[in-house]
Amino acid sequence: MPTRILPAVGDADAARSVTTLLSQLPDAEPAMPVADSTQLIDTLSRLAGESIEELPEVVLVHERIGPVPALELIREVALRFPAVGVVLITTDASPGLISAAMDSGARGLVALPLSYEELVSRVQGAAAWAVGVRRHLGNSGDVFSGPGGTLVTVSGAKGGVGTTFASIQLALAAQASGRRAALVDLDLQTGDVASYLDVQFRRSVVDLAGITDLSPRVLADAVFTHDTGVSLLLAPGEGERGEEVTDRSVRQIVSAMRSRYEVVIVDCGAQMTGANAAAVEMADIALLVTTPDVVAVRAAKRMVRLWDRLQIRKAEETVILVNRHTRNTEIQPPLIQKITGTRVAGIAVPAGFKELQAVVDAGRVQDLDSKSVVKQALWGLAGELGLVAVPEGAGKGGRSTKFRSDRGAFSTRRRRGGGQGEGDG
């Protein structure tokens, strides 16, 4: 059977050289090279969505690929597509790099300038490994072959705008609709997800930060399954330990979570660090929460510009959620969209502190009544963002979605001018 090979090479000259040599390999079907890490992950996700058999047996990653560094990219591919053998192409064939590449999940390393014999050997070895994994894939629940779950980051323009509350409600909505949902607290110094959900659990995201091989069992030991069914990966109880969580560890942790859950919500808080910046960069949807006041909107604009300068996220790829919205405020969602240059969510969350106060003070926001306009807005937002499962036979145009484990159901159809909800107390 031919070996399908997908090169990931950003440099045009290097891509031509790799393609020419691959065309000479016996029983090989090289694909056109992809130019960057985003295109590689998108291509693999699309193929995996069709069938695992559509995935290439071998992916070649050039050392100068970007924007995600080569070793980080290898780690993500190995976690999300374990039935693919990854080979690193590099000028540095030192023992240190070989060890680092193997730790990241590479099945081999080829030194530059490329040697035909070495390339044949590494490609054949990686392909044989991939075929073996696919042969046993059906017998192992620990091996994930899909394109990965939807990753949503929720960041605050400033403190107190409702980031954590919004994160929790989005996760609850996804879980109640039948999706397998997880909530990760990356507000590493002041994370309050545990307080809002009345949880006491000794493990946190810090326990995963120093682990290079995140097996399903290791991940399960650090995750707490809440009574609602949502899986929680909590922030450390001691804020200073948040420094142990690096951007590299976040990429590994988030990739592992995406491989196990259909929806992953990440509460990034309002402080931008290397750790939560990595999550925002990886996100399918980056939600930025603000309130309709001058100070918060200015902070939102500042955050959007910061993400753009650091090449974390473009403004047009960011979704603004307007929280505590009222119809008589001077600052309305269209103005916020114009000021920030982002897209504003079609559903705004109305101000409603009185209906939230009891459940927030009790630390049981999961008990918020379904008649709450704040809850209805946020669960409707989950529908707008595509985080809820659509029941079979549901018609087009936003027919109502029934949520399990909840007292009542309401439409997830897109609504405008609603209002925006309370947040982190």
Side-chain angles (χ1 to χ4, degrees):
M1 184 180 73
T3 299
R4 291 163 297 180
I5 307 169
L6 177 59
V9 186
D11 181 77
D13 292 336
R16 282 192 293 270
S17 175
V18 169
T19 302
T20 300
L21 198 53
L22 288 177
S23 64
Q24 302 173 19
L25 298 186
D27 296 323
E29 286 186 1
M32 291 296 295
V34 295
D36 56 44
S37 57
T38 301
Q39 190 177 353
L40 174 62
I41 295 299
D42 288 347
T43 300
L44 293 176
S45 297
R46 175 177 54 79
L47 294 173
E50 297 174 6
S51 167
I52 185 175
E53 298 303 326
E54 297 299 319
L55 286 168
E57 283 75 27
V58 180
V59 167
L60 299 178
V61 175
H62 193 275
E63 62 179 356
R64 291 199 298 273
I65 196 71
V68 176
L71 291 182
E72 298 300 326
L73 179 59
I74 290 171
R75 186 182 303 276
E76 183 170 358
V77 171
L79 282 167
R80 293 178 60 180
F81 312 98
V84 173
V86 188
V87 176
L88 174 65
I89 301 175
T90 177
T91 55
D92 179 12
S94 65
L97 181 62
I98 293 175
S99 176
M102 298 303 109
D103 287 343
S104 296
R107 306 309 305 174
L109 183 148
V110 180
L112 290 170
L114 291 175
S115 159
Y116 176 83
E117 291 76 12
E118 186 180 16
L119 185 60
V120 168
S121 174
R122 298 295 179 266
V123 166
Q124 289 179 344
W129 179 87
V131 170
V133 169
R134 296 179 194 197
R135 185 178 300 120
H136 297 92
L137 191 58
N139 300 323
S140 174
D142 286 343
V143 179
F144 179 79
S145 60
T150 301
L151 174 63
V152 181
T153 55
V154 186
S155 307
K158 57 185 288 293
V161 296
T163 310
T164 298
F165 190 89
S167 301
I168 292 171
Q169 293 299 328
L170 291 176
L172 290 174
Q175 182 70 34
S177 76
R179 291 280 177 87
R180 192 172 181 219
L183 176 58
V184 181
D185 195 347
L186 276 187
D187 188 359
L188 296 172
Q189 291 188 340
T190 58
D192 281 324
V193 167
S195 298
Y196 274 79
L197 291 171
D198 191 24
V199 170
Q200 292 183 350
F201 190 61
R202 62 187 180 87
R203 294 195 180 276
S204 73
V205 66
V206 172
D207 294 298
L208 301 178
I211 300 176
T212 57
D213 183 16
L214 279 182
S215 67
R217 179 172 296 179
V218 170
L219 189 65
D221 287 342
V223 171
F224 176 85
T225 302
H226 193 259
D227 293 341
T228 59
V230 175
S231 297
L232 306 175
L233 183 56
L234 302 171
E238 305 81 18
E240 66 275 11
R241 295 201 64 195
E243 297 181 358
E244 300 175 32
V245 183
T246 64
D247 56 342
R248 178 176 180 176
S249 60
V250 164
R251 291 184 186 278
Q252 180 180 2
I253 292 167
V254 169
S255 294
M257 295 293 287
R258 291 180 79 171
S259 74
R260 308 298 296 177
Y261 298 93
E262 294 178 87
V263 175
V264 180
I265 308 294
V266 181
D267 178 3
C268 292
Q271 298 294 323
M272 191 50 48
T273 65
N276 50 34
V280 172
E281 184 180 9
M282 296 174 67
D284 298 301
I285 303 170
L287 203 62
L288 182 60
V289 184
T290 186
T291 48
D293 58 84
V294 172
V295 174
V297 173
R298 283 178 176 171
K301 183 178 181 180
R302 234 180 4 251
M303 185 70 78
V304 170
R305 287 182 171 180
L306 174 65
W307 288 355
D308 187 61
R309 288 197 306 272
L310 297 180
Q311 297 183 341
I312 297 171
R313 200 89 184 178
K314 295 179 180 179
E316 58 268 26
E317 297 173 347
T318 302
V319 180
I320 292 282
L321 172 62
V322 184
N323 193 23
R324 300 172 194 153
H325 174 268
T326 58
R327 295 185 182 277
N328 57 3
T329 184
E330 292 185 10
I331 302 178
Q332 292 293 323
L335 178 59
I336 296 175
Q337 178 169 296
K338 182 178 180 180
I339 291 172
T340 59
T342 61
R343 177 173 73 84
V344 172
I347 292 179
V349 184
F353 183 73
K354 288 184 179 180
E355 66 181 40
L356 302 183
Q357 187 169 7
V359 294
V360 169
D361 290 346
R364 293 188 59 83
V365 298
Q366 69 271 25
D367 293 339
L368 183 61
D369 193 277
S370 294
K371 296 180 181 178
S372 160
V373 294
V374 173
K375 180 174 181 176
Q376 290 190 24
L378 286 169
W379 285 40
L381 175 67
E384 177 186 327
L385 299 178
L387 306 182
V388 299
V390 179
E392 292 184 10
K396 296 181 180 180
R399 291 182 61 182
S400 62
T401 295
K402 295 291 184 180
F403 291 90
R404 300 185 301 190
S405 305
D406 193 67
R407 299 186 302 276
F410 48 85
S411 174
T412 60
R413 75 184 61 182
R414 189 173 176 123
R415 290 172 293 178
R416 292 192 176 272
Q420 226 132 311
E422 293 286 42
D424 305 344

